[in-house]
Amino acid sequence: MSDLSDIKKTREHWYQAYFDGNTETLKQIEASDFYVSSAKGKQARDTRYESIQQAIKSGQWFEANVFKEEDALQFLLNDGKAKISGHGRMLSNGKPFSDVIFEENWIKSKQGWQVKALHLHNSK
C-alpha cells in the first residue's frame, strides 16, 4: 500500500477509537508525546485518556448517533511526515454541534503512522 492509503486507513481507525472511547487503540496510534491544542489550551496524551475514561464512566461520552463530517481535506506527505488539514464538524442525529478547522501532524515510525499533534480552531 502507498503511504497515502496507509495514513488514511490509520486515521480512520484513530477517529473510530476516539468516538468509541477506546484509549488502548489511541495509545497505539498516538505518539508518546501526542497532544491536542485548542481554544481550551493544550492537553497532553495521558490527561486526555483520563478525561475520556471519566466521561465514559459518567455517561457523558459520545452516543452512537454521533459522527464526524469533513471537507476541504488536504494531505501533505513528505519523507515520513504528514500534515493533514481541513474543516470538520460533529453531528448528532444529523445536526451539527461542533464546527472546527483542524490540522494534524503525523510521523511514520516502525509501527506505522502515528499522530503527534492535533490543532483545533473554532471555525465560527
Side-chain angles (χ1 to χ4, degrees), residues 1-50:
M1 274 202 262
S2 72
D3 277 346
L4 182 58
S5 62
D6 284 347
I7 199 169
K8 284 181 175 181
K9 182 179 173 185
T10 302
R11 188 172 179 270
E12 282 304 313
H13 287 301
W14 178 51
Y15 273 102
Q16 189 61 53
Y18 177 73
F19 283 109
D20 291 346
N22 183 342
T23 54
E24 291 308 310
T25 298
L26 292 176
K27 288 176 185 176
Q28 294 171 8
I29 298 173
E30 295 173 351
S32 60
D33 57 350
F34 173 81
Y35 66 92
V36 177
S37 168
S38 71
K40 297 177 184 176
K42 187 174 175 180
Q43 187 179 40
R45 176 179 129 133
D46 292 335
T47 306
R48 181 168 175 238
Y49 301 152
E50 290 170 17

Side-chain angles (χ1 to χ4, degrees), residues 100-118:
V100 297
I101 302 294
F102 64 87
E103 182 179 288
E104 305 161 5
N105 296 324
W106 292 75
I107 57 163
K108 191 168 187 182
S109 69
K110 293 175 195 167
Q111 295 81 27
W113 285 102
Q114 289 191 300
V115 61
K116 297 216 17 115
L118 171 60

